[in-house]
Every structure is written in structure tokens, then in C-alpha cells.
Amino acid sequence: MEENLQEDLAMLSELDEKSLLESLSQRFKQDKIYTYIGDILVAVNPFKYLPLYEKEVCVYKCHDKKSLPPHIFAVADKAYQSMLGRMGTGPKNQCIVISGESGAGKTESTKLLLRHIMELCRANSQLEQQILQVNPLLEAFGNAQTVMNDNSSRFGKYIQLRFLGTSVKGAKINEYLLEKSRVVQQDEGERNFHIFYCMLAGICADDKEIYGLLEPEQYRYLNGTSLSDDMVNHWSKKYADVCNAMDMVGFEEQEKVDMMTILAGILSLGNIMFEPGEGDVLRVTNTSVGWLKAAAGQFGVQEEELLRSLTCTMSVTRGEAIRRLHSQQQAEDARDSIAKVAYGRVFGWIVSKVNELLAPNVDPDVELHEIGILDIFGFENFAVNRFEQLCINLANEKLQYFFNHHIFLMEQREYKEEQLDWEVITYKDNKPILDLFLTKPIGILSLLDEQSAFPQATDRDFVDKLNSKFKAHPNYEVVRSHSPAFTVVHYASKVQYNGVGFLERNRDTIPASIRGLFINSVTPLLSLLFAATISRTGTLMPRKAKMAQVTEDNFNSTRKQSVGAQFKHSLGVLLEKMFAASPHFIRCIKPNRTKSPDVLDNSFIMDQLRYNGLLETIRIRRDGFSWRPTFKEFAERYSLLLLKPDIPLNRESCMHILNNTRITGWTCGSSRLFFKYWHQEELARLLDTLGRSAVVIQKNFRAVMCRRRYLELVEEMRRQRQAQREEEERRRREAEEERRRQLLQEEEEEARRRRLIEQENKRPVSPPVPLPRKKKPEPRPRSFLSGPQSAHLAPVPRPRSKLFEATPFDNDLGGPAHEERVKEKHKRRRNTIRWFRETQARKVVRNGEFPCWFHGMITRRRAEDLLTDKPLGCFLVRVGQSREGYTLTYRGANRCRHYMIEMQCNGKYVILGEDRAHPSLIDLVEYHTQAGIKPFMELLTVPCGQSCDQQPDYEELEFMVPSPPEVPHRAPDPVAMELQRLFVPPDRTSAPGALQPDKPPVLRRISDHRRRLDALVNQDEPDPKDKPVPRLYPSIRLAMREIQQIQQQFSDSTDQTDVAPGNRWSPWKRTDS
């Protein structure tokens, strides 16, 4: 049993398929889903929650691999430590490649890797939480349910995390081949992208009316799907997470509204149906007129122009405009093309916006290291496989080739070059399959581009050309059927592709008239999306970011490329990045086809083990040498182990180093050394031991030097004091001598005076002469001691306590430097007050005053003093003194804690380290009265009031509190009320922009300017209902009312005539009426 529970399969004594499968099965039954193959991690999807990720993440930090069980956190830690240069090699870019079938757990593995890397590089920044929020955002827009996976990634992404030292400084997302055709068509058992169900379940009824949304079964693009109560709750939570992720990353409110409106327009567009009209001109059906109006309002275009773009094509030939009418099928294709392109560009804009908001804010000359995580679609083989499946499987062929090249080809080639005694391990090389797809000019993609260039070519022509070119190829099989189809023998399995739609999806064109129509849309986001250009790799480049991207892509964006060519180029760029980095591999295994927990299908698992080449991988990891540094690289890195400086970087030095380390199992070639996968960790451990020893030596050396310096300073102080005492003694002696001389002089003067008196007494008596009176000294003026001038006198410093002697390390608090610091502090304080007054005051004021827990700009010590005698859970919020932000001070069990509150670029508030953004401070406080603040999960219970009623703590901010004026009440005007009911959103009737019921509508324009001024002066608190709405909301609302009226009429006529209803998605039938 112990043998079967081996954590590293490379250590198995018997290596065959049976022992490999038995080992994985036994570990899976004990919920041990992670297993090593040397330095490669195998992960089996459990299809259930396991308590493997709740333990302290610091356990997998600079850990010994043998001391802890296999875990995906260990891979994240190894990549992070290797990027920093702590794993026996210098700092180098890393990449983590996650591969496996659809439903094997690649997306969840990506989220776990990101989570642990952000924990390892945790710093005092909100950037880590923003990066973690990217995954749920992209999942909502890029994932969908398939028959193989409920949360299948319908696009590929490569996440580049960029680091400066140990902290993350930015991130970039590279996306590959979004499956846009899913927007307009899903096979049985599949669904559209998650975001549509999130919107329809999570948006409230009032907002649905604003966006023009109905129930999900009303929409053809959703196949008439209805949501149960459990599904509504599930998708509502997902929608809340998506909105929070947008707020955390930094999306503006108006951008979110425009984006949701465009998505609603895509759904409305799908319900437009056509029928023949007068002549050859098409017209929309009676039940689709309302949907056309709704789609035009949601897209921000004119209804007539949208209809014209769908039913005809305008072209200019020799200066003459030619109008070509569409057939019904062409009009429906144009409708679906608009929906696919619009959704694809929304998704591309989201990725571009995320990259813009998470771009590194550092000097461009600073070198950043990188960890890349590849989460790409798994190998797929459905009942019907189309163009997207071909591209997805091609990407998996590329990844398999990268794995084979790194593990087998490159390694065994070096064995041969270095003349090692090695028995060649054969593996399944998929290079011929890649040549079948990518060879120019006769590869599958080249022939597809060639046929796509001919307007009259058909899918049958394309498949016939493939059959004629590749009928003898071992990896290609001809299919005899009525529909165009062909089969490719991939590395994983044989896949039959349905050729219908290959040319159209590869072209991915949109008529110029539609592009011009949307560029002129009144919705800024839609105009931006269609004015943007597409790079050579298929990346959306908005106009403002175009110049920065052109240099990177080096591509003339005016030249249109096919989807296949873009995907081929993007795969090439991806492989270049991966070959330039040190790879780490995670092989995900799917235990069964039914997505059931605790069920293991041995034959299904064995198929995956075989086509992934895991048996051969175990053999080469057990017998081979995965680390192969040159003599120079090894000597440069590990010369410290000899404790000798300036050793030659040659073979003899390497031998000397290895002989001192007592490491066994390595071998030496002609130009490089060959090590097992565990040798790198052992050498890194030796370097770490030496580094810790060096730290101890440095610590003691610095202690000795500091002690020596201290003794020198003490001796110098003693000498100074001795010299001072000697100087004082000398001055005392001089003063005594001076006093003696003065006494002698006074005695001599007294004797002389007495002699004079005696002489005078001997003279005859004469009348006395009066002496002049001495002038009485005037008293000092009182103003010299007190008065206005006394305020300018320097304060008398408090004397130092006699318990403390002066030391040579006392700081001088005076001087110009101190004055500069004081001036800078006051300057920052004034700037913060100005920021609060101009941008924040009215957001905090409620009902004419600040909340009781708001204490203005007080110091940290003052806040702690206020909470000293308060109960546990008491809190207050204060303005930062030196930054534009707030601090929440919380009374904890043993101490006060201070949480920084930051403002996002979109005006949202978030506690540093939290994963939720809030529209206001009050919302933040109310939320954390129910949800604890991480990491201690502390609840806000008791607000800390002001210290006294007469002088509040925010006295310097008190002048900002406005007093609302009294507004006279007037009777509502019926005309204004009717117009408001038609054109103003139901939740904005009290907003400043709403019609005033107390005055006629003709006076509204006259009073607009006065109303805006009054709003700026009198508005105490922002109205939570005052939020952005779609640009053409009145048109959307009228269109939705028309749709509902038509549906009601159709429902009534159906009830009267007893006619069988149409299918569930019919736009004129509502199931909830």
C-alpha cells in the first residue's frame, strides 16, 4: 500500500501502465489528487470541494519538497522562488503551463496559482486583489457550459505577472480565439456565455426596464432557456461578483452601463426576423418591429439605418453607388455577424481595459521579471466539431509539442551531443500533425485562407481541396458524406470536423456600412469598439492605445487578416515567450466523463495517460537529467560553496565544488554537467545554509563594530566631559583669583577713602555742599513681559528627566531640516483638506451633518485615545493626514487596529486587502457591520461618537456642512407627470435631471441653469438612484412597451383561436403572462 501511495511516481520500483494507474487510483480514493512526476505535477479533478486550500499558505513558502505532500501551491512557490533566483539559478522569467482535457480543472488550477503567488508577494498594495478579480470577470464573459464542462473556457489566456524584486507591479492578459459563434448558436446541452444569464438573473426589475431586458425564454440566442429558482440565485450571485470585480479593477459606472446596454442589444438583435416585402426588398416581421426598435436604441443608432444595413449592401464602383439587396438568408447572416463581432469587441475591450488599469507604474528602464500562467482551452471532441474546435485542438497540439520538445527532444539531443551512455526513450512525436496544419503553402490553414479569398468559394470546395492534397497523409482521413467533412488524427484522438461554415468563420468580415453605422453611434463605447483596429495577433487596439501597441505588434493594421492567420501568429508569439522562460508543467486529468465525484473510469484515465505520454515522462524523469548547466554557469552560481574568491570557471572548479558537497547521482559531459531533478533543490539548500551562516557572521560582525563604535563614542564623551570639567575648574580658579584681586582693590580703595576722610576731618569745618540726587530707575514696560509680542517668543523646552542621561545618540530636533519637515507636513495637510472639501465632503454628509463615526482629520494617537475606554468592536473613520484617503480605526481585543481605506480610480472605496469595493463610505461601514474585515474577520458594532458636543473632532471641516433650504410645495403639473412617465426611468423621478411636477414642462429649459446651481449648493447627499442610464433610454422604453403589447395581442389571439404556440424562444410569447 505504501508503494501505491508514492508521492513521486518517478520513484516507483515497477514502472508500467498498471502500476501507474494503481498508484493514481489509490491516491484519488484517499482524496490525494496531487502527485509528482519528478518536477511535474499531476492533478486529478475531484469534482467536489476538498479542504486542501484552507491551511496556512506560509507552509508552502521556501519549503523542502520532501517535507510536505504534493500540492499546486508548491508549484507556485517554486516558480516564485526561481523567478527571484533562490532555487540555485539566477533570476529568470518563469512560465507555468497547465494542460488537459476540457473539464480537467485547468481554470480552477489557474485561480489557485494566482491566489498563492499573490500571497507570497503580499505587500501594502491593492494591486494583488485587483489581479485576483480579473479571473471571475473574464470567466463571466469568456466561459460557457458545454457537454464536457459546466464552466468551459471558450478562449485561451496567458497571464503575465510582472515583478520588481519580491512585489508584483503589474499584470497583462493575452487572450486567444474567443468562440464568438457561441453567441448566435449553441448545440444541444450547451449554453451561451455566462454573462447573459448573470444579467437576466442579477439585474433588478427597474434596471431591466432601463436596459430593455425581458425574461430569458424570450430570446432566440439563448435557445429559450428558462431559469429555475436555484439557477436564478446562482447567477444573481455571479452577477454581483462580476459587478464587484469591475469596480475593483477600475471600470467606470458609465462604461458598465454602456457595456450592459450593448449586450442587451445583442439579445434583441437575435429576435429580429425577416420576411419578403414588396418586390425584392425584405422587411422585418410584425412581431420583430419592436425588437428592431429596441436593438437600435440599445446600440444608439437610427432604426432605419440599422434595417438598411441588415437588408442591403452599398458599394461604390467607379464613383457610382450600387445597392445590392440581401436574401433572407444573407440578412440573417448579417444579423448574426453583427452580434458576433459586437460581442467579440466587447470582450477584447474588457481585456484591453484590464491591461490598461493593471499596467506596471514603474520607470520603463527598470527591468521587471515575469511569471506567466497559461490557461488555454482543453482538447475537444464533440458530436459536431466546427472551425473553433479545429483551432482549439491545434493549440493543444502546439502545447503538446512544447512539452515533448522540452522534456524529450531537447534533453535527449544533449545526451547525444555530450556522448553520454543513454538508451533513447521513444515518444509520440506530433510534429507531422503540426506540419499538416501549418505548412506553407499547402497546410490546412493556408488552403483555408486561399479559399476564403475567393468570394464564390464554398465549404465543399475547401473540403474537396483538402481531400485531394492530404488523402495520403497518415494523420488525415477522407470522409464520405453528403455534408462537407474531414477527419484529423490528433495526438489525443481522432476528430471528425464538419466543414460547414469554415470559410465564413475564417473570414469574420462585417460590412463597411455596419461598421460606419456603429462608429457614428451615440453610445461612446460602441463607437470606440468599431473605430478600433485589430492587431496581427487578433488583439483589439483602441484608438488611444493604438500608438503604444503598434510598435509592439509591428503590423500594418489596415490589412485584414483571417481568423486562422491571426490565431496562427498569436500561437507563434506565445511559444516564443514560453521558450524564453523556465517552464513548470501541470498535467490535469479528468477522472470520468459524467463529471461525478468519487468516480474513477480506469479506461478513460488510461487514455489520457497514454496520449499525454506520462509513462515516458516518468521514465525520462527517473533515468534522465532534467537540469543541465554548462561548466561556466555552474561555477558562477556555486563558487560560493568553495569559500574561495576568483576561482576559474572551468571543469576542474566544478568537480572541486561537487566533491565538497557530497552530492551523488550526477554525471559530467564534455561541456556541461547533468543533474537529476532533485539536485537543484539540494544545491539551493546548501546555498541557503551558507547564506544563513553569512547572515549570522554579518550580524555578529556588525554587533562587534557597533559595540566598538559605541565604546569609542562613550570614550570620546568621557574625554569631552573631562575636558569640560578641567575647563570649568580652570575658569573657577581664574574667577577666584579675579575675586581676590577685586577684594584687594576694594580694601585698598577703602583704606585710601578712610585716609581721605581723616584728612578732611583735620581741615576746618565749612558749610556742606549738597550732592545731586540720583535718578530713580524706571520700571520695565509691561508689554516686554506679556502682550502681543510674547506670542513670538520660543517656548521653553521641558527639562529632561533626571532619570535619563544625555547620550551621544540624541537627535537634534531643531535646525533647518526640522523646519522643512514641519512645512512639508503642513503642506500635505492643507492639500488633504482641499481634496476632502472639493471631492469628498458631500459624499460623507448625510442630512446636513457628518455621521457620528466620522472624526475628520485627527491623529492616530488621538483616535486610539478616543477608543481606549470603548467596548470591543467600537470604530471611527478619520481622514488621512498625509494622503488622499481614509483610515478606519477599530477597537480590538488587545489593541487598536488601523485599516487603510483607498479610493479606486473609478471613485469606489475599498479597505486595503479586501476584495469588495463600495460606492460610498457609508456603504462600506454598513457592509462591514455584517461581514468581518480580513484577516481577523472583525465586525463593526459600535460607532465612536464625538468627544464633546460643543467642539466636534472635525471642527476644521465643520464649515463644509451645508444647510438645506426650504422648498415651497406646489401642486404637480399633469403634463409634466405624463412626460416623466414616458421618458424618465422609474427610479430617477426624483433625480435632478427629472421633469419637475410642480411646474409646466415649457419652463424646464429656462430653469435648467438655476436648477444645476441649486443642486450644487443644496444637495446634502448623493441620490443612490442617480446613476447612469443608456443614451437612448426613451427609445428603448417605447420599444419594449411595443413588444409587450404585441406579445399580449398574440397571446390573446392564441387563446381565442386555440392555435398551438410556437417554440419557447418566440419573441411574441411570454411564459410568465
Side-chain angles (χ1 to χ4, degrees):
M1 182 62 68
E2 291 297 328
E3 181 71 16
N4 290 335
L5 293 182
Q6 181 66 254
E7 294 182 345
D8 190 347
L9 298 181
M11 297 296 180
L12 289 175
S13 58
E14 296 182 3
L15 185 56
D16 53 25
E17 291 183 351
K18 181 179 178 181
S19 60
L20 173 59
L21 181 61
E22 181 67 19
S23 181
L24 289 176
S25 300
Q26 292 296 330
R27 293 183 61 81
F28 181 78
K29 291 176 182 178
Q30 299 187 21
D31 289 338
K32 297 180 178 180
I33 61 173
Y34 295 116
T35 310
Y36 289 129
I37 300 178
D39 52 357
I40 301 169
L41 182 70
V42 177
V44 184
N45 191 348
F47 290 118
K48 65 178 182 179
Y49 169 79
L50 291 177
L52 297 177
Y53 316 102
E54 307 302 326
K55 56 178 74 172
E56 293 294 329
V57 295
C58 59
V59 174
Y60 287 92
K61 182 178 181 180
C62 298
H63 71 290
D64 186 2
K65 179 180 176 181
K66 298 179 181 179
S67 63
L68 294 172
H71 203 286
I72 195 170
F73 287 170
V75 178
D77 178 56
K78 184 179 180 182
Y80 180 71
Q81 305 301 336
S82 299
M83 183 268 300
L84 296 176
R86 297 174 180 172
M87 294 298 293
T89 59
K92 187 179 179 181
N93 292 345
Q94 310 290 313
C95 73
I96 304 175
V97 182
I98 310 171
S99 60
E101 279 202 1
S102 179
K106 299 183 296 300
T107 300
E108 292 300 318
S109 297
T110 301
K111 291 190 283 189
L112 292 171
L113 287 170
L114 279 175
R115 166 186 156 186
H116 191 61
I117 292 175
M118 292 301 103
E119 288 289 344
L120 292 173
C121 67
R122 178 178 290 276
N124 193 20
S125 169
Q126 194 62 19
L127 182 60
E128 294 91 345
Q129 285 296 332
Q130 289 179 312
I131 293 174
L132 291 177
Q133 293 298 321
V134 170
N135 252 325
L137 177 59
L138 295 183
E139 270 188 34
F141 285 86
N143 286 30
Q145 178 181 323
T146 66
V147 293
M148 299 178 65
N149 186 3
D150 291 342
N151 188 32
S152 177
S153 297
R154 309 319 300 162
F155 73 108
K157 63 177 179 288
Y158 185 65
I159 306 173
Q160 297 173 265
L161 305 175
R162 292 170 175 172
F163 297 84
L164 179 60
T166 59
S167 57
V168 64
K169 293 300 180 182
K172 182 181 179 182
I173 311 295
N174 301 276
E175 52 99 3
Y176 305 96
L177 192 70
L178 177 71
E179 190 186 25
K180 295 180 289 187
S181 62
R182 181 169 293 271
V183 176
V184 301
Q185 179 184 6
Q186 308 98 44
D187 293 330
E188 185 178 354
E190 300 193 351
R191 289 193 174 184
N192 213 317
F193 290 104
H194 293 334
I195 186 60
F196 292 112
Y197 307 100
C198 292
M199 290 171 52
L200 295 171
I203 296 179
C204 63
D206 291 339
D207 287 348
K208 279 186 177 181
E209 187 174 357
I210 290 175
Y211 293 120
L213 290 171
L214 297 178
E215 298 304 317
E217 55 266 19
Q218 300 286 321
Y219 295 104
R220 193 178 66 88
Y221 282 164
L222 301 183
N223 285 342
T225 302
S226 59
L227 301 179
S228 63
D229 293 340
D230 292 339
M231 295 173 65
V232 168
N233 293 333
H234 169 76
W235 292 119
S236 297
K237 294 177 182 178
K238 289 289 184 181
Y239 180 75
D241 293 339
V242 171
C243 292
N244 178 67
M246 289 184 182
D247 291 338
M248 288 289 295
V249 175
F251 285 78
E252 301 287 345
E253 283 296 325
Q254 187 61 57
E255 291 175 339
K256 291 163 56 179
V257 170
D258 290 347
M259 180 173 57
M260 295 300 175
T261 308
I262 294 172
L263 296 180
I266 292 173
L267 292 178
S268 299
L269 187 69
N271 284 356
I272 299 176
M273 305 300 292
F274 302 94
E275 62 184 8
E278 297 180 359
D280 295 331
V281 179
L282 292 177
R283 65 183 181 89
V284 296
T285 61
N286 293 332
T287 56
S288 302
V289 173
W291 291 111
L292 177 64
K293 293 180 179 179
Q298 289 157 338
F299 287 143
V301 298
Q302 292 294 328
E303 175 188 347
E304 295 79 8
E305 294 181 0
L306 178 60
L307 178 60
R308 189 181 306 115
S309 299
L310 292 173
T311 56
C312 66
T313 300
M314 300 294 295
S315 61
V316 179
T317 303
R318 297 179 181 179
E320 180 181 358
I322 300 176
R323 178 186 179 192
R324 292 186 176 89
L325 299 177
H326 288 172
S327 65
Q328 184 170 344
Q329 183 61 46
Q330 289 175 332
E332 292 174 356
D333 291 342
R335 174 200 63 197
D336 294 343
S337 177
I338 293 175
K340 291 187 292 185
V341 172
Y343 189 86
R345 298 212 170 190
V346 167
F347 184 81
W349 172 78
I350 291 174
V351 174
S352 176
K353 184 75 175 179
V354 167
N355 290 335
E356 176 188 342
L357 294 171
L358 300 185
N361 187 19
V362 296
D363 192 337
D365 297 331
V366 176
E367 182 182 2
L368 299 178
H369 293 290
E370 183 179 295
I371 297 178
I373 302 176
L374 179 64
D375 174 23
I376 207 163
F377 14 58
F379 189 86
E380 293 181 349
N381 187 3
F382 297 145
V384 179
N385 299 286
R386 299 185 175 87
F387 174 71
E388 289 79 11
Q389 276 67 51
L390 182 137
C391 294
I392 288 171
N393 293 339
L394 173 59
N396 282 271
E397 292 283 358
K398 274 279 190 180
L399 291 185
Q400 182 67 15
Y401 173 77
F402 176 76
F403 180 82
N404 291 339
H405 184 275
H406 187 82
I407 299 297
F408 297 104
L409 181 64
M410 188 169 58
E411 188 169 324
Q412 296 191 97
R413 181 189 300 164
E414 291 181 358
Y415 296 159
K416 184 177 180 181
E417 292 174 353
E418 298 290 322
Q419 300 178 354
L420 294 186
D421 185 13
W422 175 256
E423 181 181 353
V424 176
I425 297 176
T426 59
Y427 62 96
K428 189 176 180 180
D429 188 8
N430 66 334
K431 185 68 165 57
I433 307 176
L434 291 177
D435 293 338
L436 173 66
F437 279 97
L438 304 176
T439 302
K440 291 184 178 181
I442 56 170
I444 291 179
L445 291 185
S446 297
L447 293 177
L448 180 61
D449 287 345
E450 178 185 317
Q451 293 296 309
S452 299
F454 296 107
Q456 303 303 323
T458 64
D459 297 320
R460 170 62 71 179
D461 297 336
F462 166 64
V463 174
D464 290 343
K465 195 152 192 174
L466 292 183
N467 293 336
S468 64
K469 294 287 185 181
F470 305 119
K471 59 184 177 181
H473 197 285
N475 295 101
Y476 183 89
E477 293 181 3
V478 178
V479 177
R480 306 296 180 185
S481 65
H482 296 290
S483 61
F486 61 95
T487 298
V488 176
V489 182
H490 288 279
Y491 79 99
S493 65
K494 187 185 299 185
V495 181
Q496 178 176 318
Y497 295 100
N498 187 342
V500 176
F502 260 60
L503 298 183
E504 185 63 31
R505 297 182 184 191
N506 185 53
R507 295 186 185 113
D508 193 32
T509 56
I510 185 171
S513 59
I514 294 177
R515 184 171 182 267
L517 174 65
F518 285 165
I519 287 178
N520 296 321
S521 168
V522 299
T523 302
L525 178 58
L526 190 65
S527 177
L528 174 70
L529 296 182
F530 280 84
T533 54
I534 305 298
S535 72
R536 190 174 181 181
T537 58
T539 303
L540 187 78
M541 298 192 304
R543 290 293 183 185
K544 60 182 179 181
K546 180 179 176 182
M547 297 307 297
Q549 294 285 344
V550 165
T551 57
E552 180 180 347
D553 289 277
N554 192 21
F555 174 68
N556 183 6
S557 59
T558 60
R559 185 180 62 187
K560 173 63 179 175
Q561 274 205 331
S562 66
V563 174
Q566 292 174 356
F567 186 61
K568 176 182 174 181
H569 184 75
S570 64
L571 283 181
V573 174
L574 172 64
L575 266 294
E576 286 180 7
K577 295 177 182 178
M578 293 169 58
F579 274 112
S582 296
H584 305 262
F585 295 100
I586 299 177
R587 307 293 265 182
C588 295
I589 303 295
K590 189 175 180 179
N592 58 77
R593 292 183 174 89
T594 59
K595 299 175 283 189
S596 303
D598 302 321
V599 176
L600 205 65
D601 187 340
N602 290 337
S603 61
F604 183 58
I605 289 183
M606 185 52 64
D607 289 340
Q608 298 176 70
L609 298 180
R610 284 172 183 159
Y611 71 67
N612 281 320
L614 289 189
L615 193 64
E616 293 80 8
T617 303
I618 295 172
R619 186 174 292 115
I620 199 170
R621 276 292 175 262
R622 185 183 66 178
D623 302 333
F625 304 92
S626 61
W627 182 38
R628 304 171 298 278
T630 63
F631 294 146
K632 181 180 179 181
E633 292 172 348
F634 184 82
E636 282 180 346
R637 181 61 182 169
Y638 297 101
S639 59
L640 291 175
L641 296 176
L642 286 180
L643 302 179
K644 293 181 181 179
D646 302 328
I647 65 171
L649 307 179
N650 54 22
R651 184 177 186 276
E652 289 71 20
S653 299
C654 295
M655 296 299 104
H656 195 16
I657 293 171
L658 290 171
N659 291 333
N660 285 348
T661 58
R662 300 177 182 178
I663 291 179
T664 60
W666 54 272
T667 187
C668 181
S670 58
S671 63
R672 62 180 67 238
L673 295 167
F674 293 84
F675 294 96
K676 300 289 186 180
Y677 60 88
W678 65 82
H679 285 150
Q680 196 171 8
E681 295 182 359
E682 292 185 4
L683 288 169
R685 197 178 305 115
L686 293 175
L687 280 181
D688 185 58
T689 302
L690 194 62
R692 288 197 298 268
S693 302
V695 170
V696 173
I697 294 172
Q698 292 175 359
K699 179 190 69 173
N700 288 280
F701 174 77
R702 290 173 179 172
V704 170
M705 296 303 296
C706 289
R707 178 68 180 173
R708 183 180 301 173
R709 176 62 179 161
Y710 174 76
L711 294 177
E712 291 175 355
L713 291 173
V714 170
E715 185 63 28
E716 178 66 22
M717 186 177 65
R718 288 175 180 171
R719 287 197 298 269
Q720 292 177 0
R721 287 183 176 178
Q722 181 65 26
Q724 185 178 2
R725 285 195 292 268
E726 292 176 356
E727 180 67 19
E728 291 176 354
E729 182 67 20
R730 184 182 63 79
R731 291 178 180 177
R732 187 181 61 78
R733 288 196 299 268
E734 291 178 355
E736 290 179 354
E737 291 293 332
E738 184 66 24
R739 282 198 298 272
R740 292 194 194 97
R741 287 195 298 269
Q742 290 179 359
L743 288 175
L744 290 175
Q745 290 177 0
E746 290 176 357
E747 290 176 357
E748 292 176 358
E749 183 67 25
E750 182 66 21
R752 188 177 64 81
R753 189 175 62 78
R754 288 177 180 174
R755 287 195 299 272
L756 290 176
I757 291 174
E758 290 177 356
Q759 292 176 3
E760 288 292 332
N761 292 335
K762 292 179 181 179
R763 292 179 183 180
V765 178
S766 59
V769 179
L771 297 175
R773 292 183 62 183
K774 291 184 179 181
K775 187 175 180 181
K776 185 177 181 181
E778 296 181 0
R780 288 186 176 183
R782 186 176 299 274
S783 62
F784 183 81
L785 298 177
S786 63
Q789 297 180 353
S790 62
H792 299 286
L793 296 177
V796 179
R798 186 173 60 182
R800 178 186 289 271
S801 172
K802 295 182 179 180
L803 299 176
F804 300 96
E805 293 188 6
T807 68
F809 303 103
D810 287 345
N811 294 322
D812 183 14
L813 297 180
H818 176 65
E819 294 179 359
E820 287 296 328
R821 287 194 298 269
V822 172
K823 289 180 180 179
E824 183 64 25
K825 182 178 180 180
H826 288 307
K827 180 180 178 181
R828 290 197 301 266
R829 185 184 180 92
R830 289 194 302 270
N831 291 339
T832 305
I833 293 178
R834 185 183 303 112
W835 163 80
F836 181 84
R837 180 177 65 248
E838 295 176 355
T839 65
Q840 298 295 304
R842 298 193 178 277
K843 297 181 181 180
V844 182
V845 171
R846 288 294 183 268
N847 299 324
E849 60 182 13
F850 290 113
C852 62
W853 41 260
F854 181 76
H855 286 248
M857 188 178 292
I858 61 175
T859 63
R860 178 189 180 107
R861 176 165 296 182
R862 173 63 175 160
E864 292 179 350
D865 291 343
L866 289 172
L867 296 176
T868 299
D869 56 348
K870 295 293 190 295
L872 182 68
C874 190
F875 69 96
L876 60 86
V877 177
R878 53 192 174 91
V879 182
Q881 293 185 297
S882 59
R883 62 183 181 89
E884 294 180 355
Y886 301 91
T887 300
L888 188 148
T889 304
Y890 177 85
R891 175 73 168 87
N894 301 319
R895 49 166 292 184
C896 287
R897 292 191 176 89
H898 303 271
Y899 297 98
M900 293 176 62
I901 301 177
E902 286 193 350
M903 278 196 65
Q904 305 284 96
C905 59
N906 54 2
K908 304 293 183 180
Y909 300 82
V910 59
I911 295 179
L912 195 65
E914 284 285 321
D915 57 359
R916 183 168 293 276
H918 307 273
S920 67
L921 273 180
I922 295 178
D923 291 322
L924 183 147
V925 170
E926 291 178 353
Y927 174 79
H928 286 292
T929 58
Q930 305 295 329
I933 304 175
K934 299 176 183 177
F936 303 103
M937 305 309 295
E938 295 171 326
L939 290 175
L940 307 181
T941 57
V942 182
C944 177
Q946 306 299 317
S947 54
C948 61
D949 296 334
Q950 291 78 17
Q951 188 177 2
D953 295 331
Y954 53 81
E955 55 178 331
E956 56 189 348
L957 309 177
E958 194 173 10
F959 67 91
M960 304 176 192
V961 182
S963 56
E966 295 183 1
V967 180
H969 176 72
R970 298 181 182 178
D973 185 82
V975 178
M977 294 296 292
E978 179 63 21
L979 291 177
Q980 176 173 285
R981 186 177 65 84
L982 290 175
F983 296 105
V984 181
D987 58 346
R988 297 191 63 186
T989 55
S990 60
L995 295 176
Q996 303 298 322
D998 55 352
K999 53 185 162 183
V1002 294
L1003 299 179
R1004 184 184 177 207
R1005 181 177 298 177
I1006 301 174
S1007 62
D1008 270 352
H1009 181 67
R1010 178 64 179 273
R1011 174 181 53 78
R1012 284 194 294 268
L1013 293 179
D1014 292 344
L1016 290 175
V1017 175
N1018 300 330
Q1019 186 180 355
D1020 288 343
E1021 57 183 273
D1023 188 356
K1025 297 181 181 179
D1026 186 16
K1027 54 188 177 183
V1029 296
R1031 312 289 176 168
L1032 297 182
Y1033 165 73
S1035 300
I1036 298 173
R1037 186 171 185 181
L1038 289 175
M1040 300 313 294
R1041 289 193 174 187
E1042 183 175 345
I1043 292 171
Q1044 292 171 353
Q1045 290 174 0
I1046 294 175
Q1047 290 177 349
Q1048 186 64 37
Q1049 293 173 5
F1050 180 81
S1051 177
D1052 295 342
S1053 63
T1054 301
D1055 293 339
Q1056 293 175 4
T1057 59
D1058 215 295
V1059 177
N1063 54 30
R1064 296 178 61 188
W1065 56 262
S1066 298
W1068 54 81
K1069 179 172 176 60
R1070 296 193 58 177
T1071 59
D1072 58 347
S1073 59

